[in-house]
């Protein structure tokens, strides 16, 4: 029992730190997931959940930092009983979320490990159940956890972990994630990621007389009733499935991937940082003679963006892209992405607008 307890102690502590570090690297991504949950709960349980949406980002930072701090405090055996009680409450909360997502198929990606590790809803729920069992074991057998020799050291290390976590989170908000796990990271070829890496293979789940059977080739026997089609190699599917660029004249997705494009991403004009556009306009002007076209992509309406770009003197053509896609491409609003024949060669947040020379050097 002692060795089981110590294994659970180290495993739970390390996993909470790992999960928290991945997510505090991109708190805006966690905030997007929280918004999804609030929308689902607002629809299913009561509209008062929608009142939490404006606080998604502060809540994301709090939960991500809490995961790291509790993991560090657990490993340091600092306030052990209190920490275990907090961990139990947190994992019960997470287990409910992942069960609800899996059973009702509401939020298909819980974001448990951000964009670094994708888990299905049932995989996420299973992971949380395992952690729940381990934390219960730790509460019941905490006498087997090695005692703390230096209380002050535990307080110091936990305090440093808190400050470090907050610093990483605020840096990611002001700039971009330190480590980019998204499909639109620098070096990625967007059009290539919109295609499967190999032909997709499927199996067909059919039913007849109460019996279920799987076929790799669709049966010709019409007495079998189709139930579902399941991919055998889902990892080979496209990593990007929803990227599209359009305006009233048609679709311009292919044109984005031709030549050099400086994309100014504006998620929504009412939430964008207008102070950044003085530097962005200076950049656009400095690139007029360069072999690069500047485009604006937005999810706002044509009327709203037309008024906005005249207010900001943003002299570039604008196109439309899905709001979720824009938030995935860049957390910053506005943000700047540089493409060379569809390959991402540069990304800058609203606080890091580059000079024209810096952009030219990337090409």
């Amino acid at each position: 029992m002692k060795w089981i307890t110590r294994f659970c102690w180290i495993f739970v502590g390390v996993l909470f730190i790992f999960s928290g570090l991945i997510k505090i690297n991109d708190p805006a991504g966690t905030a997007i997931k929280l918004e999804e949950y609030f929308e689902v709960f607002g629809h299913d349980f009561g509209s008062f959940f929608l009142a939490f949406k404006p606080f998604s980002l502060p809540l994301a930072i709090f939960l991500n930092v809490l995961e790291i701090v509790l993991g560090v405090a657990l490993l340091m055996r600092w306030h052990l009983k209190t920490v275990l009680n907090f961990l139990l409450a947190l994992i019960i909360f997470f287990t409910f979320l992942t069960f609800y997502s899996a059973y009702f198929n509401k939020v298909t990606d819980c974001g448990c490990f951000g964009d670094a590790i994708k888990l299905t809803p049932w995989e996420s729920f299973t992971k949380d159940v395992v952690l729940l069992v381990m934390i219960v074991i730790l509460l019941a057998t905490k006498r087997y956890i090695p005692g703390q020799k230096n209380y002050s050291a535990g307080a110091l290390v936990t305090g440093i972990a808190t400050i470090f976590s907050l610093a990483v989170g605020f840096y990611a908000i002001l700039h971009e994630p330190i480590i980019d796990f998204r499909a639109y990271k620098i070096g990625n070829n967007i059009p290539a990621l919109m295609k499967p890496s190999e032909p997709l293979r499927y199996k067909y789940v059919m039913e007849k007389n109460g019996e279920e059977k799987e076929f790799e080739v669709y049966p010709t026997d019409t007495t079998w009733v189709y139930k579902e089609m399941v991919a055998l190699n889902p990892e080979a599917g496209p990593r990007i499935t929803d990227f599209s660029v359009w305006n009233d004249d048609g679709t311009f997705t292919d044109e984005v991937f031709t030549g050099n494009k400086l994309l100014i991403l504006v998620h929504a004009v009412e939430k964008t940082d207008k102070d950044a556009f003085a530097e962005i306009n200076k950049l656009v002007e400095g690139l007029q003679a360069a072999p690069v076209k500047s485009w604006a992509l937005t999810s706002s309406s044509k009327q709203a963006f037309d008024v906005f770009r005249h207010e900001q003197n943003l002299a570039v053509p604008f196109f439309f892209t899905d709001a979720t896609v824009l938030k995935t491409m860049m957390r910053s609003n506005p943000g700047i992405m540089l493409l060379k024949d569809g390959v991402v060669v540069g990304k800058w947040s609203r606080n890091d607008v580059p000079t024209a020379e810096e952009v030219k050097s990337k090409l």
Side-chain angles (χ1 to χ4, degrees), residues 168-321:
V168 172
F170 282 113
Y171 178 90
I173 292 170
L174 293 173
H175 304 279
E176 280 285 295
I178 297 172
I179 303 175
D180 194 349
F181 295 106
R182 291 162 293 174
Y184 297 92
K185 68 180 181 180
I186 293 176
N188 277 10
N189 187 316
I190 297 176
L193 293 176
M194 293 171 67
K195 302 174 183 176
S197 57
E198 62 180 82
L200 289 172
R201 295 177 288 107
Y202 298 92
K203 64 179 179 181
Y204 304 93
V205 182
M206 312 293 288
E207 185 179 28
K208 181 169 67 172
N209 299 327
E211 175 194 358
E212 272 193 13
K213 189 174 180 181
E214 296 178 352
F215 297 85
E216 290 197 12
V217 177
Y218 198 90
T220 55
D221 184 350
T222 56
T223 60
W224 286 100
V225 178
Y226 171 84
K227 287 197 70 177
E228 64 176 330
M229 183 172 67
V230 180
L232 295 173
N233 56 341
E235 70 285 348
R239 285 189 62 194
I240 298 174
T241 58
D242 47 7
F243 181 82
S244 181
V245 175
W246 72 93
N247 65 14
D248 291 344
D249 296 325
T251 301
F252 292 83
T253 307
D254 291 338
E255 284 82 346
V256 175
F257 304 140
T258 304
N260 304 321
K261 296 291 189 305
L262 184 82
L263 303 180
I264 302 163
L265 311 181
V266 183
H267 304 168
V269 295
E270 65 273 14
K271 295 182 179 180
T272 195
D273 182 358
K274 295 179 180 179
D275 293 337
F277 284 90
E279 290 296 318
I280 291 175
N281 287 334
K282 189 186 299 183
L283 171 63
V284 171
E285 186 177 350
L287 291 173
Q288 286 183 350
V292 55
K293 293 182 179 180
S294 298
W295 287 9
L297 303 185
T298 185
S299 63
S300 294
S301 68
K302 179 180 179 180
Q303 294 78 8
F305 196 82
D306 207 27
V307 170
F308 171 81
R309 74 187 183 109
H310 282 99
E311 288 176 349
Q312 302 302 321
N313 296 314
L314 184 62
V316 298
F318 67 94
F319 302 83
F320 305 109
T321 303

Side-chain angles (χ1 to χ4, degrees), residues 334-345:
I336 298 171
M337 179 178 287
L338 181 64
L339 301 183
K340 183 176 183 178
D341 294 324
V343 177
V344 182
V345 294

Side-chain angles (χ1 to χ4, degrees), residues 151-173:
Y151 180 86
S152 298
L156 177 64
V157 173
T158 304
I160 292 173
T162 303
I163 295 171
F164 173 78
S165 304
L166 286 170
V168 172
F170 282 113
Y171 178 90
I173 292 170

Side-chain angles (χ1 to χ4, degrees), residues 95 106 125 133 145 221 267 303 340:
T95 303
K106 293 289 185 175
F125 173 68
V133 171
I145 299 175
D221 184 350
H267 304 168
Q303 294 78 8
K340 183 176 183 178

